[in-house]
Amino acid sequence: MIELRFILEGGDFDRAGTASSETKKILKQLNIDPRVIKHTVVALYEAEVNIAAHAYRGEVTITVSDHQIVAVLKDEGPGIADIKRAMLEGFSTASPKVREMGFGAGMGLPNMKKNADVLEVESTPGSGTTVKMIFDF
Amino acid sequence: MKIEKIIQLLDAKIVCGSHRISDDISNAFSSDLMSDVLTLDAENMLLITGLANVQIIRTAEVAEIHHLVIVRNKKVSEDIVELANELNMILIESPYSMFKASGILYANGLNPLY
Ligand SMILES: Nc1ncnc2c1ncn2[C@@H]1O[C@H](COP(=O)(O)OP(=O)(O)OP(=O)(O)O)[C@@H](O)[C@H]1O
Ligand SMILES: [Mg+2]
């Protein structure tokens, strides 16, 4: 079993994606099916960008075992008041700055759901959000 | 379509990754919205974009895209070039608008992704 850990800062768009990038390298070294790698890193990148765009700081933990990859992204931030609504395609509260960078279409959470075998979102408004994703192989 | 033909058709110049000049591309997608690019399921795809930020490289990395055209005469910075190089991508810059660049490639037989 392998465990990877990354710290993320809200608003840091230059570094958003480095956890996905590092994870991709390790998964490649482990010879995991390229399709599983792609699903994992796309969903992980969406979740990383969400922390950069919507939260203050966060911690990513990736665990790779024999038959699955588990990614947990725990952030301190404003949280999500209505998770059902946030999961809808097109729902976004992204700032104009985030939109200028090519994000904020309200596609991230639906895309994470599409790419992961399991997606769980837990949130306490005013405190933070935890996203857990499982990828089976 | 070979990258070298794309360069010629778009009056473009290579920023990095010239070893990929003879790669053969089967289809293309034009977008300034990385949210959309991340939902695509494609391999060996050309991404045409009017953005020139680090997010296009990160998006391409996770989406397994290795060929990017940056239109509207936008210039990428040194650190972006360095990252693209590290990730084994070819970046080309064209002075044409996204509409013009896409139209020319389409008219010359490059397939849309959908
Ligand atoms: N970690 C988070 N903390 C607080 N709010 C979040 C977080 N993740 C998502 N949200 C909320 O859920 C909404 C929808 O998220 P989603 O990722 O689907 O879209 P987006 O980030 O707005 O745009 P896109 O992902 O297309 O760039 C966000 O606009 C935001 O309001
Ligand atoms: Mg998002």
Side-chain angles (χ1 to χ4, degrees):
Chain A
M1 202 166 88
I2 293 181
E3 193 177 274
L4 310 170
R5 237 172 235 281
F6 306 93
I7 302 293
L8 306 177
E9 288 297 322
D12 189 351
F13 281 94
D14 286 338
R15 285 187 48 80
T18 50
S20 316
S21 183
E22 281 306 306
T23 302
K24 184 177 174 182
K25 280 180 203 142
I26 308 265
L27 296 180
K28 268 187 171 170
Q29 282 168 16
L30 294 171
N31 271 320
I32 289 169
D33 179 352
R35 292 197 58 81
V36 175
I37 297 183
K38 188 175 169 187
H39 287 150
T40 306
V41 297
V42 164
L44 188 56
Y45 182 54
E46 293 276 18
E48 264 193 271
V49 172
N50 274 357
I51 292 181
H54 310 297
Y56 312 141
R57 67 191 62 80
E59 194 182 290
V60 187
T61 311
I62 312 285
T63 318
V64 188
S65 53
D66 279 352
H67 294 285
Q68 60 181 202
I69 301 159
V70 180
V72 178
L73 295 98
K74 189 175 161 47
D75 73 52
E76 289 165 36
I80 304 174
D82 186 344
I83 294 174
K84 239 189 179 158
R85 192 155 168 239
M87 291 295 308
L88 294 176
E89 264 184 33
F91 177 82
S92 176
T93 60
S95 67
K97 184 182 159 234
V98 169
R99 290 172 199 266
E100 250 168 52
M101 280 187 285
F103 295 100
M107 302 289 284
L109 284 167
N111 198 29
M112 284 149 69
K113 191 172 171 64
K114 194 181 90 185
N115 279 282
D117 292 290
V118 176
L119 168 69
E120 287 168 12
V121 183
E122 274 170 26
S123 190
T124 311
S127 163
T129 303
T130 300
V131 171
K132 180 178 178 183
M133 295 183 284
I134 301 177
F135 307 87
D136 295 316
F137 57 89
Chain B
M1 185 182 285
K2 290 257 203 277
I3 295 288
E4 49 199 333
K5 174 141 188 226
I6 293 172
I7 291 171
Q8 180 206 328
L9 288 170
L10 299 185
D11 195 13
K13 78 178 215 309
I14 304 180
V15 182
C16 69
S18 51
H19 65 285
R20 284 191 174 274
I21 193 158
S22 352
D23 286 5
D24 210 351
I25 294 295
S26 37
N27 46 42
F29 188 79
S30 303
S31 182
D32 281 351
L33 196 53
M34 295 306 112
S35 304
D36 267 354
V37 176
L38 287 164
T39 65
L40 302 174
D41 194 9
E43 254 146 60
N44 193 29
M45 182 193 91
L46 179 76
L47 175 62
I48 303 164
T49 181
L51 294 181
N53 57 26
V54 69
Q55 286 74 38
I56 63 169
I57 309 295
R58 289 293 179 203
T59 298
E61 181 187 12
V62 298
E64 292 289 345
I65 294 167
H66 296 100
H67 307 85
L68 292 91
V69 181
I70 296 159
V71 292
R72 294 199 273 134
N73 234 343
K74 291 258 182 162
K75 303 287 174 217
V76 290
S77 65
E78 263 315 302
D79 42 325
I80 293 175
V81 175
E82 209 174 288
L83 183 61
N85 243 327
E86 213 178 280
L87 295 168
N88 198 23
M89 294 172 186
I90 182 167
L91 289 188
I92 66 178
E93 288 172 351
S94 166
Y96 298 169
S97 68
M98 181 136 79
F99 181 74
K100 183 170 173 181
S102 308
I104 289 172
L105 295 179
Y106 184 81
N108 279 274
L110 185 60
N111 290 320
L113 185 60
Y114 61 84

